[in-house]
Amino acid sequence: MGTSFTFLPIFEIAIRQMKADGIAGEDAYGKMLGTSMACAILEIAFSLCPGRVIKKIFPPLVSAITVTLLGVALTGTGMKYWGGGVVCAEMIWKEHSQVVDSVGFGQPVSNVPGATCTGNGKVVLPYGSTEYIGLGFSVLAFLVVIELFGSTFMKNSNVILALLFGYMIAGLSNYDDLPYVDTQKIADAPVVDFLWTQWFGIGFYGPAVVPMLIAYVVTTVETIGDVTATHEVSELVTNGKEYTQRIQGSLMADAVCSILASLFTSMPNTTFSQNNGVIAITKCASRRAGLATGFWLILMGVLAKIAGIITSIPDCVLGGMTIFLFCNVLVSGISLFGDLNMKSRRVRFISALSLCVGVGVTVWPFAFQDMRGSSYTAAFWECGDCTESMKGVRNGVSIFLSTGYCIGSVLAILLNAILPEDPDENTVEGEIHWSAIGAKYLYWGH
């Protein structure tokens, strides 16, 4: 589990508005933490739904669509990291010849944030530079080498080995004598540190409630898809009592950990899909491994030097690994479709309609979503002169419609609920009136 990106734009917009109203930044952040804790109750309510209700809402067809859409969205995120970083990838439009002359000269287009990537040591290059692509590719190449020549142990540890190899290549390389690995982050990190180094007064901000609730619905769909993918890669059934109990437990864990995250001065948590990729390629689905990982993460959170090492890994190197792990989620979704009757007209119709919208807004979300750094500009609902409460509603709706695995999954749930099952083939054949189609007197050979 970890901090969810879904909540980031809501936090950004709400805090910016509170600061404009004269509220200090730290107090504004504390209000959003309190609002997050209150809205997490929604996910607790979802977790308390009976197993039969969850099974009816999320049958295998809906689960397959959800996991597939998650994989599509996450693979795109991995590509952003591989090219140099998420922010610079989303700002690459500023390099377009029609707007580049306006950037930084007092015109509507600002040069902050920009299309140059700053998460790769002291090297600052445009998104998609050959150097970034090459470093990320070194991770993928080493994965292939391990798969070809590695021992069983190496294959089971290929994720960390490939990441360390890419980190080593980055550490030994430089660009115009500038390092890709910023060792200053390691030097500046204290030996031991704790979360409670700064306090924020917990408060509440009403205009953020609706978008926060919508964001929790998004993370609920994501968590159910992640658990389904975990079952699939762990070779467990994706139905039955055990499956629904795990869904309920994971939603409760999401909510409780999001509340704890606010107490620990962090944004809400959600399950991380790349863990499914790790399970798929290491073949390790042991709970003991998960508990051990949790212990080491807590330890590394206290030993700040280790955190300094992790944060010094260049974004492009992380991208070379995460794009592979994320795509394993997509493969899990495709695998779930293999358990369905794809000859069924109903299954194909629900799949096609849900995926066409889900994949469409994932590939190009700006039909409903503002471009980064251009708030309230999407023509679908500009809302620049709306009230603050309406802006909150508008932002929540924008997030919902532009999140492919959310809108696609909701469509699948609705269609699955209203469309009738395919009639039995024998019934269809018995209802055909051959004389009506002029075939009554047709015989082969005459």
Side-chain angles (χ1 to χ4, degrees), residues 144-197:
V144 176
V145 171
I146 293 174
E147 200 65 23
L148 287 173
F149 306 109
S151 64
T152 302
F153 173 78
M154 291 182 68
K155 290 179 179 179
N156 289 337
S157 308
N158 59 355
V159 173
I160 186 64
L161 291 176
L163 185 61
L164 289 175
F165 178 78
Y167 188 41
M168 180 189 72
I169 295 297
L172 296 175
S173 307
N174 66 78
Y175 180 83
D176 288 343
D177 293 329
L178 295 175
Y180 289 100
V181 176
D182 187 4
T183 56
Q184 192 62 40
K185 292 182 178 181
I186 305 173
D188 292 343
V191 177
V192 177
D193 196 10
F194 294 92
L195 288 171
W196 300 278
T197 54

Short mmCIF file of all heavy atoms in Angstrom, two decimals, residues 144-197:
data_model
loop_
_atom_site.label_atom_id
_atom_site.label_comp_id
_atom_site.label_asym_id
_atom_site.label_seq_id
_atom_site.Cartn_x
_atom_site.Cartn_y
_atom_site.Cartn_z
N VAL A 144 15.89 -9.47 -19.19
CA VAL A 144 15.99 -10.49 -20.24
C VAL A 144 17.21 -11.38 -20.00
O VAL A 144 17.14 -12.61 -20.14
CB VAL A 144 16.08 -9.83 -21.63
CG1 VAL A 144 16.28 -10.89 -22.72
CG2 VAL A 144 14.81 -9.03 -21.91
N VAL A 145 18.34 -10.78 -19.62
CA VAL A 145 19.57 -11.55 -19.35
C VAL A 145 19.33 -12.54 -18.21
O VAL A 145 19.72 -13.72 -18.30
CB VAL A 145 20.73 -10.60 -19.00
CG1 VAL A 145 21.95 -11.39 -18.51
CG2 VAL A 145 21.13 -9.77 -20.22
N ILE A 146 18.67 -12.08 -17.15
CA ILE A 146 18.38 -12.98 -16.02
C ILE A 146 17.46 -14.11 -16.46
O ILE A 146 17.65 -15.28 -16.07
CB ILE A 146 17.75 -12.19 -14.86
CG1 ILE A 146 18.77 -11.21 -14.26
CG2 ILE A 146 17.23 -13.13 -13.78
CD1 ILE A 146 18.19 -10.30 -13.19
N GLU A 147 16.47 -13.78 -17.27
CA GLU A 147 15.52 -14.80 -17.72
C GLU A 147 16.22 -15.84 -18.59
O GLU A 147 15.85 -17.03 -18.59
CB GLU A 147 14.38 -14.14 -18.49
CG GLU A 147 13.12 -14.97 -18.61
CD GLU A 147 12.45 -15.22 -17.28
OE1 GLU A 147 12.66 -14.43 -16.33
OE2 GLU A 147 11.72 -16.22 -17.18
N LEU A 148 17.25 -15.43 -19.34
CA LEU A 148 17.97 -16.35 -20.23
C LEU A 148 19.01 -17.19 -19.49
O LEU A 148 19.12 -18.39 -19.71
CB LEU A 148 18.65 -15.56 -21.36
CG LEU A 148 17.75 -15.00 -22.45
CD1 LEU A 148 18.56 -14.11 -23.39
CD2 LEU A 148 17.09 -16.14 -23.25
N PHE A 149 19.78 -16.54 -18.62
CA PHE A 149 20.95 -17.21 -18.04
C PHE A 149 20.94 -17.30 -16.52
O PHE A 149 21.82 -17.94 -15.95
CB PHE A 149 22.23 -16.45 -18.46
CG PHE A 149 22.36 -16.25 -19.94
CD1 PHE A 149 22.21 -14.99 -20.50
CD2 PHE A 149 22.62 -17.33 -20.79
CE1 PHE A 149 22.33 -14.79 -21.86
CE2 PHE A 149 22.73 -17.14 -22.15
CZ PHE A 149 22.59 -15.87 -22.70
N GLY A 150 19.96 -16.68 -15.86
CA GLY A 150 19.98 -16.65 -14.40
C GLY A 150 19.55 -17.95 -13.75
O GLY A 150 18.83 -18.77 -14.34
N SER A 151 20.02 -18.14 -12.53
CA SER A 151 19.60 -19.29 -11.74
C SER A 151 18.17 -19.09 -11.25
O SER A 151 17.58 -18.02 -11.44
CB SER A 151 20.53 -19.45 -10.53
OG SER A 151 20.42 -18.33 -9.68
N THR A 152 17.62 -20.10 -10.61
CA THR A 152 16.27 -19.99 -10.08
C THR A 152 16.17 -18.86 -9.06
O THR A 152 15.21 -18.09 -9.04
CB THR A 152 15.84 -21.31 -9.43
OG1 THR A 152 15.91 -22.36 -10.40
CG2 THR A 152 14.41 -21.22 -8.90
N PHE A 153 17.21 -18.76 -8.21
CA PHE A 153 17.22 -17.69 -7.22
C PHE A 153 17.24 -16.33 -7.90
O PHE A 153 16.52 -15.40 -7.49
CB PHE A 153 18.44 -17.83 -6.31
CG PHE A 153 18.62 -16.68 -5.36
CD1 PHE A 153 17.84 -16.59 -4.21
CD2 PHE A 153 19.54 -15.67 -5.63
CE1 PHE A 153 17.98 -15.51 -3.34
CE2 PHE A 153 19.68 -14.59 -4.77
CZ PHE A 153 18.90 -14.52 -3.62
N MET A 154 18.05 -16.18 -8.94
CA MET A 154 18.14 -14.89 -9.63
C MET A 154 16.82 -14.55 -10.31
O MET A 154 16.38 -13.38 -10.30
CB MET A 154 19.27 -14.92 -10.66
CG MET A 154 20.66 -14.96 -10.06
SD MET A 154 21.95 -14.93 -11.32
CE MET A 154 21.74 -13.27 -11.99
N LYS A 155 16.16 -15.55 -10.88
CA LYS A 155 14.87 -15.30 -11.53
C LYS A 155 13.81 -14.86 -10.51
O LYS A 155 12.97 -14.02 -10.81
CB LYS A 155 14.41 -16.54 -12.28
CG LYS A 155 15.25 -16.85 -13.52
CD LYS A 155 14.76 -18.09 -14.23
CE LYS A 155 15.60 -18.38 -15.47
NZ LYS A 155 15.18 -19.60 -16.18
N ASN A 156 13.88 -15.46 -9.31
CA ASN A 156 12.93 -15.08 -8.28
C ASN A 156 13.24 -13.72 -7.68
O ASN A 156 12.37 -13.10 -7.05
CB ASN A 156 12.91 -16.13 -7.16
CG ASN A 156 12.28 -17.43 -7.61
OD1 ASN A 156 11.49 -17.45 -8.54
ND2 ASN A 156 12.62 -18.52 -6.93
N SER A 157 14.45 -13.24 -7.88
CA SER A 157 14.87 -11.94 -7.34
C SER A 157 15.13 -10.94 -8.45
O SER A 157 15.82 -9.93 -8.24
CB SER A 157 16.14 -12.10 -6.49
OG SER A 157 16.00 -13.11 -5.52
N ASN A 158 14.59 -11.22 -9.65
CA ASN A 158 14.98 -10.40 -10.80
C ASN A 158 14.55 -8.94 -10.69
O ASN A 158 15.19 -8.05 -11.26
CB ASN A 158 14.44 -11.01 -12.10
CG ASN A 158 12.93 -11.13 -12.12
OD1 ASN A 158 12.26 -10.84 -11.13
ND2 ASN A 158 12.39 -11.59 -13.23
N VAL A 159 13.49 -8.67 -9.93
CA VAL A 159 13.03 -7.28 -9.80
C VAL A 159 14.09 -6.42 -9.14
O VAL A 159 14.52 -5.39 -9.67
CB VAL A 159 11.71 -7.22 -9.00
CG1 VAL A 159 11.32 -5.78 -8.72
CG2 VAL A 159 10.60 -7.92 -9.76
N ILE A 160 14.56 -6.84 -7.97
CA ILE A 160 15.55 -6.04 -7.24
C ILE A 160 16.90 -6.07 -7.94
O ILE A 160 17.61 -5.06 -7.97
CB ILE A 160 15.66 -6.54 -5.77
CG1 ILE A 160 16.58 -5.61 -4.97
CG2 ILE A 160 16.16 -7.97 -5.72
CD1 ILE A 160 16.05 -4.20 -4.83
N LEU A 161 17.25 -7.22 -8.54
CA LEU A 161 18.55 -7.30 -9.23
C LEU A 161 18.59 -6.38 -10.44
O LEU A 161 19.58 -5.67 -10.66
CB LEU A 161 18.82 -8.75 -9.66
CG LEU A 161 19.08 -9.76 -8.54
CD1 LEU A 161 19.24 -11.16 -9.11
CD2 LEU A 161 20.32 -9.36 -7.73
N ALA A 162 17.52 -6.36 -11.22
CA ALA A 162 17.48 -5.49 -12.40
C ALA A 162 17.47 -4.02 -12.00
O ALA A 162 18.11 -3.18 -12.64
CB ALA A 162 16.26 -5.82 -13.26
N LEU A 163 16.74 -3.70 -10.92
CA LEU A 163 16.71 -2.32 -10.46
C LEU A 163 18.09 -1.88 -9.97
O LEU A 163 18.54 -0.77 -10.26
CB LEU A 163 15.67 -2.17 -9.35
CG LEU A 163 15.42 -0.75 -8.83
CD1 LEU A 163 14.91 0.15 -9.95
CD2 LEU A 163 14.42 -0.77 -7.68
N LEU A 164 18.77 -2.76 -9.23
CA LEU A 164 20.12 -2.44 -8.75
C LEU A 164 21.09 -2.29 -9.91
O LEU A 164 21.99 -1.43 -9.87
CB LEU A 164 20.60 -3.51 -7.78
CG LEU A 164 19.92 -3.55 -6.40
CD1 LEU A 164 20.41 -4.74 -5.60
CD2 LEU A 164 20.17 -2.25 -5.64
N PHE A 165 20.92 -3.11 -10.95
CA PHE A 165 21.79 -2.99 -12.13
C PHE A 165 21.60 -1.63 -12.80
O PHE A 165 22.58 -0.94 -13.13
CB PHE A 165 21.47 -4.12 -13.12
CG PHE A 165 22.29 -4.06 -14.38
CD1 PHE A 165 23.61 -4.49 -14.40
CD2 PHE A 165 21.73 -3.55 -15.56
CE1 PHE A 165 24.36 -4.43 -15.57
CE2 PHE A 165 22.48 -3.48 -16.72
CZ PHE A 165 23.79 -3.92 -16.72
N GLY A 166 20.34 -1.23 -12.99
CA GLY A 166 20.08 0.08 -13.58
C GLY A 166 20.61 1.20 -12.71
O GLY A 166 21.15 2.21 -13.22
N TYR A 167 20.48 1.04 -11.39
CA TYR A 167 21.00 2.04 -10.45
C TYR A 167 22.52 2.14 -10.55
O TYR A 167 23.10 3.23 -10.50
CB TYR A 167 20.56 1.65 -9.04
CG TYR A 167 20.85 2.68 -7.97
CD1 TYR A 167 20.66 4.03 -8.18
CD2 TYR A 167 21.30 2.28 -6.71
CE1 TYR A 167 20.91 4.96 -7.19
CE2 TYR A 167 21.55 3.19 -5.70
CZ TYR A 167 21.36 4.53 -5.94
OH TYR A 167 21.61 5.46 -4.96
N MET A 168 23.16 0.98 -10.69
CA MET A 168 24.62 0.96 -10.82
C MET A 168 25.06 1.67 -12.11
O MET A 168 26.00 2.47 -12.10
CB MET A 168 25.12 -0.48 -10.82
CG MET A 168 26.64 -0.61 -10.96
SD MET A 168 27.16 -2.31 -11.22
CE MET A 168 26.61 -2.57 -12.92
N ILE A 169 24.37 1.37 -13.21
CA ILE A 169 24.72 2.01 -14.49
C ILE A 169 24.55 3.53 -14.38
O ILE A 169 25.40 4.31 -14.84
CB ILE A 169 23.83 1.47 -15.63
CG1 ILE A 169 24.11 -0.02 -15.85
CG2 ILE A 169 24.06 2.25 -16.91
CD1 ILE A 169 25.50 -0.34 -16.31
N ALA A 170 23.46 3.95 -13.72
CA ALA A 170 23.24 5.39 -13.54
C ALA A 170 24.32 6.01 -12.66
O ALA A 170 24.78 7.13 -12.91
CB ALA A 170 21.86 5.63 -12.93
N GLY A 171 24.73 5.27 -11.61
CA GLY A 171 25.76 5.78 -10.72
C GLY A 171 27.12 5.91 -11.37
O GLY A 171 27.92 6.78 -11.00
N LEU A 172 27.40 5.04 -12.35
CA LEU A 172 28.69 5.08 -13.04
C LEU A 172 28.69 6.03 -14.23
O LEU A 172 29.74 6.27 -14.83
CB LEU A 172 29.07 3.67 -13.52
CG LEU A 172 29.30 2.62 -12.41
CD1 LEU A 172 29.54 1.24 -13.03
CD2 LEU A 172 30.49 3.02 -11.53
N SER A 173 27.52 6.55 -14.57
CA SER A 173 27.39 7.42 -15.74
C SER A 173 27.27 8.88 -15.32
O SER A 173 26.99 9.20 -14.16
CB SER A 173 26.16 7.02 -16.57
OG SER A 173 26.18 5.65 -16.89
N ASN A 174 27.48 9.77 -16.27
CA ASN A 174 27.26 11.19 -16.04
C ASN A 174 26.93 11.87 -17.36
O ASN A 174 27.17 11.30 -18.43
CB ASN A 174 28.47 11.84 -15.38
CG ASN A 174 29.68 11.85 -16.29
OD1 ASN A 174 29.79 12.67 -17.21
ND2 ASN A 174 30.61 10.91 -16.05
N TYR A 175 26.40 13.07 -17.26
CA TYR A 175 26.09 13.86 -18.45
C TYR A 175 26.75 15.22 -18.28
O TYR A 175 26.36 16.00 -17.41
CB TYR A 175 24.57 14.02 -18.60
CG TYR A 175 24.15 14.82 -19.81
CD1 TYR A 175 24.05 14.22 -21.06
CD2 TYR A 175 23.85 16.18 -19.69
CE1 TYR A 175 23.67 14.96 -22.17
CE2 TYR A 175 23.46 16.93 -20.79
CZ TYR A 175 23.38 16.31 -22.03
OH TYR A 175 23.00 17.04 -23.13
N ASP A 176 27.77 15.47 -19.09
CA ASP A 176 28.55 16.71 -18.96
C ASP A 176 29.05 16.89 -17.53
O ASP A 176 28.93 17.98 -16.93
CB ASP A 176 27.72 17.92 -19.40
CG ASP A 176 27.52 17.97 -20.90
OD1 ASP A 176 28.27 17.27 -21.62
OD2 ASP A 176 26.60 18.68 -21.35
N ASP A 177 29.57 15.78 -16.96
CA ASP A 177 30.11 15.76 -15.59
C ASP A 177 29.05 15.96 -14.52
O ASP A 177 29.38 16.18 -13.35
CB ASP A 177 31.21 16.82 -15.42
CG ASP A 177 32.45 16.49 -16.26
OD1 ASP A 177 32.72 15.30 -16.45
OD2 ASP A 177 33.11 17.44 -16.71
N LEU A 178 27.78 15.88 -14.89
CA LEU A 178 26.70 15.95 -13.90
C LEU A 178 26.18 14.54 -13.63
O LEU A 178 25.92 13.78 -14.57
CB LEU A 178 25.55 16.82 -14.42
CG LEU A 178 25.89 18.31 -14.64
CD1 LEU A 178 24.70 19.02 -15.28
CD2 LEU A 178 26.26 18.98 -13.32
N PRO A 179 26.02 14.15 -12.36
CA PRO A 179 25.62 12.78 -12.04
C PRO A 179 24.12 12.54 -12.20
O PRO A 179 23.31 13.44 -11.98
CB PRO A 179 26.05 12.63 -10.58
CG PRO A 179 25.92 14.01 -10.02
CD PRO A 179 26.29 14.94 -11.15
N TYR A 180 23.78 11.31 -12.56
CA TYR A 180 22.37 10.90 -12.60
C TYR A 180 21.88 10.51 -11.21
O TYR A 180 20.67 10.44 -10.97
CB TYR A 180 22.18 9.71 -13.55
CG TYR A 180 22.33 10.07 -15.01
CD1 TYR A 180 23.52 9.81 -15.69
CD2 TYR A 180 21.29 10.65 -15.71
CE1 TYR A 180 23.66 10.12 -17.03
CE2 TYR A 180 21.42 10.97 -17.05
CZ TYR A 180 22.61 10.70 -17.70
OH TYR A 180 22.74 11.03 -19.03
N VAL A 181 22.80 10.21 -10.30
CA VAL A 181 22.45 9.85 -8.92
C VAL A 181 22.91 10.97 -8.01
O VAL A 181 24.11 11.27 -7.94
CB VAL A 181 23.10 8.51 -8.52
CG1 VAL A 181 22.81 8.20 -7.05
CG2 VAL A 181 22.61 7.38 -9.40
N ASP A 182 21.98 11.58 -7.32
CA ASP A 182 22.29 12.70 -6.43
C ASP A 182 22.64 12.16 -5.05
O ASP A 182 21.77 11.89 -4.23
CB ASP A 182 21.09 13.65 -6.35
CG ASP A 182 21.42 14.92 -5.57
OD1 ASP A 182 22.58 15.07 -5.16
OD2 ASP A 182 20.51 15.74 -5.38
N THR A 183 23.93 11.99 -4.78
CA THR A 183 24.37 11.46 -3.49
C THR A 183 24.14 12.45 -2.36
O THR A 183 24.23 12.07 -1.19
CB THR A 183 25.85 11.08 -3.56
OG1 THR A 183 26.62 12.24 -3.97
CG2 THR A 183 26.08 9.95 -4.55
N GLN A 184 23.84 13.71 -2.69
CA GLN A 184 23.59 14.70 -1.65
C GLN A 184 22.36 14.35 -0.84
O GLN A 184 22.29 14.65 0.36
CB GLN A 184 23.43 16.08 -2.29
CG GLN A 184 23.46 17.24 -1.29
CD GLN A 184 24.80 17.34 -0.55
OE1 GLN A 184 25.86 17.14 -1.16
NE2 GLN A 184 24.73 17.61 0.74
N LYS A 185 21.38 13.69 -1.49
CA LYS A 185 20.19 13.27 -0.76
C LYS A 185 20.55 12.27 0.33
O LYS A 185 19.95 12.28 1.41
CB LYS A 185 19.18 12.64 -1.73
CG LYS A 185 18.56 13.63 -2.71
CD LYS A 185 17.54 12.93 -3.59
CE LYS A 185 16.87 13.92 -4.54
NZ LYS A 185 15.86 13.25 -5.40
N ILE A 186 21.51 11.41 0.03
CA ILE A 186 21.95 10.42 1.02
C ILE A 186 22.72 11.11 2.14
O ILE A 186 22.54 10.82 3.32
CB ILE A 186 22.82 9.34 0.35
CG1 ILE A 186 22.06 8.70 -0.81
CG2 ILE A 186 23.24 8.29 1.36
CD1 ILE A 186 22.90 7.75 -1.64
N ALA A 187 23.58 12.05 1.76
CA ALA A 187 24.39 12.75 2.76
C ALA A 187 23.53 13.62 3.68
O ALA A 187 23.80 13.72 4.88
CB ALA A 187 25.44 13.62 2.06
N ASP A 188 22.48 14.24 3.12
CA ASP A 188 21.63 15.13 3.91
C ASP A 188 20.68 14.39 4.83
O ASP A 188 20.17 14.96 5.80
CB ASP A 188 20.83 16.05 2.99
CG ASP A 188 21.71 17.05 2.26
OD1 ASP A 188 22.85 17.26 2.70
OD2 ASP A 188 21.25 17.61 1.24
N ALA A 189 20.40 13.14 4.53
CA ALA A 189 19.42 12.38 5.33
C ALA A 189 20.02 12.06 6.70
O ALA A 189 21.17 11.62 6.80
CB ALA A 189 19.03 11.09 4.62
N PRO A 190 19.26 12.27 7.78
CA PRO A 190 19.76 11.89 9.11
C PRO A 190 19.83 10.36 9.23
O PRO A 190 19.23 9.64 8.43
CB PRO A 190 18.71 12.47 10.06
CG PRO A 190 17.47 12.57 9.23
CD PRO A 190 17.92 12.86 7.83
N VAL A 191 20.56 9.90 10.22
CA VAL A 191 20.68 8.45 10.40
C VAL A 191 19.35 7.85 10.81
O VAL A 191 18.91 6.83 10.28
CB VAL A 191 21.76 8.15 11.46
CG1 VAL A 191 21.84 6.64 11.70
CG2 VAL A 191 23.11 8.69 11.01
N VAL A 192 18.67 8.49 11.74
CA VAL A 192 17.38 8.01 12.24
C VAL A 192 16.39 9.17 12.19
O VAL A 192 16.73 10.30 12.57
CB VAL A 192 17.48 7.45 13.67
CG1 VAL A 192 16.10 7.03 14.18
CG2 VAL A 192 18.44 6.28 13.72
N ASP A 193 15.17 8.91 11.72
CA ASP A 193 14.16 9.95 11.66
C ASP A 193 12.80 9.30 11.88
O ASP A 193 12.62 8.09 11.71
CB ASP A 193 14.19 10.65 10.29
CG ASP A 193 13.44 11.97 10.32
OD1 ASP A 193 13.08 12.41 11.42
OD2 ASP A 193 13.21 12.54 9.24
N PHE A 194 11.82 10.09 12.26
CA PHE A 194 10.47 9.60 12.51
C PHE A 194 9.46 10.45 11.76
O PHE A 194 9.76 11.57 11.34
CB PHE A 194 10.16 9.60 14.01
CG PHE A 194 10.99 8.65 14.80
CD1 PHE A 194 12.18 9.07 15.39
CD2 PHE A 194 10.61 7.32 14.95
CE1 PHE A 194 12.95 8.19 16.12
CE2 PHE A 194 11.38 6.43 15.67
CZ PHE A 194 12.56 6.87 16.26
N LEU A 195 8.26 9.92 11.62
CA LEU A 195 7.22 10.64 10.88
C LEU A 195 6.82 11.92 11.58
O LEU A 195 6.48 12.91 10.95
CB LEU A 195 5.99 9.74 10.71
CG LEU A 195 6.11 8.58 9.73
CD1 LEU A 195 4.89 7.69 9.85
CD2 LEU A 195 6.25 9.09 8.32
N TRP A 196 6.84 11.91 12.90
CA TRP A 196 6.28 13.04 13.64
C TRP A 196 7.31 14.15 13.85
O TRP A 196 7.54 14.62 14.95
CB TRP A 196 5.76 12.54 15.00
CG TRP A 196 4.69 11.52 14.84
CD1 TRP A 196 3.37 11.73 14.59
CD2 TRP A 196 4.85 10.10 14.89
NE1 TRP A 196 2.69 10.54 14.49
CE2 TRP A 196 3.58 9.52 14.67
CE3 TRP A 196 5.93 9.26 15.10
CZ2 TRP A 196 3.37 8.15 14.66
CZ3 TRP A 196 5.73 7.90 15.10
CH2 TRP A 196 4.46 7.35 14.88
N THR A 197 7.94 14.54 12.77
CA THR A 197 8.90 15.64 12.86
C THR A 197 8.20 16.98 12.71
O THR A 197 8.77 18.01 13.02
CB THR A 197 9.97 15.51 11.76
OG1 THR A 197 9.32 15.42 10.49
CG2 THR A 197 10.82 14.28 11.99
#
